[in-house]
Amino acid sequence: DQQVKQNSPSLSVQEGRISILNCDYTNSMFDYFLWYKKYPAEGPTFLISISSIKDKNEDGRFTVFLNKSAKHLSLHIVPSQPGDSAVYFCAASDGNKLVFGAGTILRVKS
Amino acid sequence: ETGVTQTPRHLVMGMTNKKSLKCEQHLGHNAMYWYKQSAKKPLELMFVYNFKEQTENNSVPSRFSPECPNSSHLFLHLHTLQPEDSALYLCASATRLTRGGNTEAFFGQGTRLTVV
């Protein structure tokens, strides 16, 4: 049973445009959500997070939106840059563990 | 450099071998995790340790045996693995997660395991 789902395996975006990565979860006990970025041959690195008491968190070019009623979150990257090309993982925490989605490969074309 | 170190980076082992993966962090974290990443699959949580106590075993086969001797070290002992166990094994550490807590996990670079 996959509790965190990233239904788009890949996304291709032109440089300078917006990248939107989506994530859905099923477990209502999750109350903290994170996005990680992963380059080949490296471990995932933390990007941005959001607590369930908020619906938006912004950090520079990165914004995460949370819709609790829909159990959905998204990561917006504006403007997208070629260096953003990586695998992006959504993760959710229930206070004991972090559960990850399958990841979305983002390719930013110059 | 995330402060979480995994060794070895690459490992090839036969199905009858016994080997161990090591993870070390000196970040003062007290939660440590083992994850498995297979091709085209989510990062799969295997084990969770909080304050050296195992608090999660995500239905992992007994051929994988974790050990957490102290809050800075985590091992994954491997015995009689199968070829389908070949994957990237990632260790992560975090300050202990709490409900609504704002902490992130830091990952090591992983061990690429190939079982032949």
Side-chain angles (χ1 to χ4, degrees), chain A residues 6 18-25 33-35 48-50 55-57 62-67 71-77 90:
Chain A
Q6 292 176 256
I18 184 171
S19 296
I20 301 176
L21 298 108
N22 294 301
C23 179
D24 297 291
Y25 62 96
F33 304 89
L34 309 92
W35 284 94
I48 192 170
S49 62
I50 188 167
D55 55 19
K56 177 182 175 182
N57 187 27
F62 302 91
T63 303
V64 56
F65 294 93
L66 175 63
N67 182 332
K71 293 191 174 67
H72 177 84
L73 64 155
S74 61
L75 174 68
H76 292 210
I77 307 174
C90 166

Side-chain angles (χ1 to χ4, degrees), chain B residues 17-90:
Chain B
N17 291 159
K18 285 184 183 180
K19 295 286 185 183
S20 296
L21 309 185
K22 180 181 176 182
C23 176
E24 186 172 356
Q25 59 90 8
H26 296 288
L27 300 169
H29 292 165
N30 41 44
M32 296 187 78
Y33 309 80
W34 279 116
Y35 287 89
K36 174 184 177 183
Q37 187 184 17
S38 305
K40 299 181 181 178
K41 284 189 175 181
L43 278 170
E44 298 174 62
L45 178 65
M46 300 176 73
F47 301 103
V48 179
Y49 277 82
N50 283 305
F51 293 103
K52 301 185 295 177
E53 297 295 323
Q54 185 176 310
T55 57
E56 186 90 14
N57 176 339
N58 207 24
S59 302
V60 181
S62 59
R63 57 186 184 270
F64 295 92
S65 173
E67 179 190 3
C68 188
N70 55 63
S71 57
S72 298
H73 295 86
L74 183 66
F75 295 90
L76 187 63
H77 303 299
L78 314 172
H79 177 50
T80 59
L81 296 192
Q82 304 299 312
E84 59 264 29
D85 296 322
S86 299
L88 180 69
Y89 288 84
L90 289 159

